[in-house]
C-alpha cells in the first residue's frame, strides 16, 4: 500500500473483540478531533506484521537513501507531557546545526530515538551531530527524563550519569565494588572518569 509520507502514529491493540471495537471507536474519534490527515484500521495479522516491518526497516532504509551518512541517536526518555517539546527541540536543533533529524519512538512511555544524520568522514559534521545529541540529552534531563532510553546508558553517555543520578552514583559504585572487588568486569566502562 502507499501511505502518506507524514508523521505517523502506529497503535497496536490487544484484547477481546468487544473491547477492541470500543477502543478503536475512541481512537478514531480522538484522531479526527486532532486533525489526523489519514486514518487506517488494520485488523488482519498479515497487515499488522507488514506495518511493523515498515517501522523496523527505518535504519536499513536510511543506509540506502543516505549511503554517505551516519546516524547518531540521542535515545532518550521524557515524561509523556514533554513529548511534543522533545520533538520540537530535535527539529530546532537540526535547523540550528543544519543537520537532518528524524524522531520516532514509543509514545506510550516517552522513549524516543532522536536521530541526527551526519556526513561520514567529515569531522565538522561529526562535531555538530555530537553537540546536537548532547543538547537533546540535556533537554531530556532538564524535564525529568532519562539519558538511557530503551538501549541503556552505554559508554558514549556515561558522562551524563552524574547529571542524572548525582546522589545515586556513589551507591552504584559501592554496589559495583561489592560484586566486582578486583575491578575485572567491564573495567573502565561503567562510570565516567
Amino acid at each position: 500500500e502507499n501511505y502518506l509520507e507524514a508523521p505517523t502514529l502506529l497503535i497496536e491493540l490487544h484484547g477481546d473483540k468487544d473491547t477492541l471495537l470500543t477502543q478503536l471507536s475512541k481512537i478514531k474519534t480522538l484522531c479526527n478531533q486532532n486533525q489526523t490527515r489519514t486514518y487506517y484500521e488494520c485488523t488482519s495479522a498479515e497487515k499488522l506484521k507488514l506495518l511493523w516491518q515498515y517501522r523496523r526497516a527505518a535504519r536499513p532504509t536510511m543506509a540506502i537513501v543516505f549511503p554517505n551518512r551516519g546516524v547518531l541517536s540521542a535515545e532518550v526518555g521524557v515524561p509523556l507531557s514533554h513529548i511534543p517539546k522533545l520533538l520540537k527541540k530535535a527539529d530546532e536543533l537540526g535547523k540550528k546545526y543544519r543537520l537532518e533529524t528524524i524522531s520516532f519512538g514509543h509514545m506510550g512511555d516517552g522513549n524516543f530515538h532522536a536521530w541526527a544524520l551526519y556526513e561520514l568522514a567529515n569531522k565538522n559534521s561529526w562535531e555538530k551531530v555530537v553537540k546536537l545529541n548532547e543538547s537533546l540529552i540535556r533537554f531530556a534531563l532538564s524535564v525529568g527524563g532519562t539519558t538511557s532510553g530503551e538501549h541503556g546508558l552505554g559508554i558514549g553517555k556515561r558522562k551524563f550519569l552524574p547529571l542524572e543520578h548525582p546522589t545515586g552514583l556513589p551507591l552504584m559504585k559501592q554496589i559495583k565494588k561489592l560484586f566486582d572487588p578486583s575491578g575485572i568486569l567491564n573495567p573502565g566502562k561503567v562510570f565516567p572518569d
Side-chain angles (χ1 to χ4, degrees), residues 1 23 29 32-33 39 47 75-76 83 87 102 140 189:
E1 289 191 42
Q23 290 175 338
T29 299
N32 289 334
Q33 290 172 348
Y39 174 87
K47 283 192 176 186
E75 300 291 341
V76 297
I83 290 173
L87 297 174
I102 301 166
K189 289 188 177 181

Side-chain angles (χ1 to χ4, degrees), residues 13 16 46 63 67 77 104 106 113 135 149 161 166 170:
L13 303 174
D16 65 80
E46 296 80 26
F104 60 96
H106 312 271
H113 314 275
S135 294
L161 197 54

Side-chain angles (χ1 to χ4, degrees), residues 148-161:
S148 61
E150 72 176 318
H151 295 290
L153 193 64
I155 294 170
K157 290 196 258 179
R158 68 182 176 174
K159 65 183 171 186
F160 295 104
L161 197 54

Side-chain angles (χ1 to χ4, degrees), residues 104-172:
F104 60 96
H106 312 271
M107 297 298 264
D109 65 10
N111 175 5
F112 273 84
H113 314 275
W115 288 0
L117 279 60
Y118 64 94
E119 296 172 36
L120 297 173
N122 181 323
K123 185 179 178 186
N124 182 48
S125 184
W126 173 252
E127 289 171 354
K128 289 193 306 185
V129 83
V130 168
K131 287 179 185 176
L132 183 149
N133 188 280
E134 290 187 358
S135 294
L136 278 177
I137 291 168
R138 290 181 189 281
F139 172 80
L141 291 175
S142 76
V143 298
T146 179
T147 62
S148 61
E150 72 176 318
H151 295 290
L153 193 64
I155 294 170
K157 290 196 258 179
R158 68 182 176 174
K159 65 183 171 186
F160 295 104
L161 197 54
L163 291 174
E164 186 169 353
H165 301 288
T167 58
L169 193 55
L171 181 59
M172 290 178 203

